[in-house]
Amino acid sequence: LEGGAHSPPPADGAARRRAGIALAVATGLLDGSLMAPFRACELSGGDPTSYLVSFGLALPFVSAPSLVAAWLRGKARLLDRESAGAGLAAGSLWALGNFASVHAVAGLGQAVGFPLTQVCVLVSSLYGVCCFGELPGHRARGLFFTA
């Protein structure tokens, strides 16, 4: 859907770099504060699963505006049944993993439990590179394994 009626003009390299840095900082701040409500719940003596309920109830308030923005920019489209099923399966698996990670953090503490839950990024990256042939060049793979 590149070049659609709602597509912004292509940005120069410096503008793209600034936007990328700004988005990376925003992601770091938002992801870094992910466990703050969990910690508040834990300190008040609440059940860790109550954090998941509020987290789940907040998701539509974040997802809906994102979908509307993508739709207005011409970047969103309806999925076929097979893709929708795969998306639902992936989302369900993610929710199950999130549930397990909350209990891991509750049992191990944030200093140990939360970093361990982030190992999923390494595992999924290895699947992509080793099983699905992503990063086909030797140099790209070398940089990946070096990082």
Side-chain angles (χ1 to χ4, degrees):
L1 296 172
E2 283 294 315
H6 299 287
S7 294
D12 62 61
R16 288 176 60 98
R17 179 176 295 263
R18 283 191 303 273
I21 291 171
L23 289 170
V25 168
T27 300
L29 290 172
L30 292 172
D31 191 42
S33 63
L34 176 69
M35 295 304 286
F38 171 78
R39 183 70 176 145
C41 176
E42 191 177 50
L43 290 174
S44 68
D47 179 22
T49 53
S50 64
Y51 161 75
L52 292 173
V53 173
S54 63
F55 185 79
L57 291 173
L59 282 176
F61 294 102
V62 174
S63 302
S66 300
L67 179 61
V68 169
W71 193 273
L72 291 174
R73 291 184 63 214
K75 301 290 182 181
R77 58 187 170 88
L78 295 177
L79 298 175
D80 57 42
R81 214 175 265 252
E82 183 178 323
S83 298
L88 285 171
S92 299
L93 186 60
W94 177 85
L96 182 62
N98 192 41
F99 181 80
S101 74
V102 166
H103 287 286
V105 170
L108 298 172
Q110 285 194 13
V112 175
F114 188 68
L116 282 177
T117 65
Q118 300 307 299
V119 173
C120 66
V121 175
L122 176 64
V123 171
S124 63
S125 298
L126 287 172
Y127 264 116
V129 171
C130 298
C131 299
F132 298 114
E134 294 181 14
L135 301 176
H138 292 294
R139 180 171 181 208
R141 283 185 177 214
L143 287 171
F144 170 78
F145 285 110
T146 301

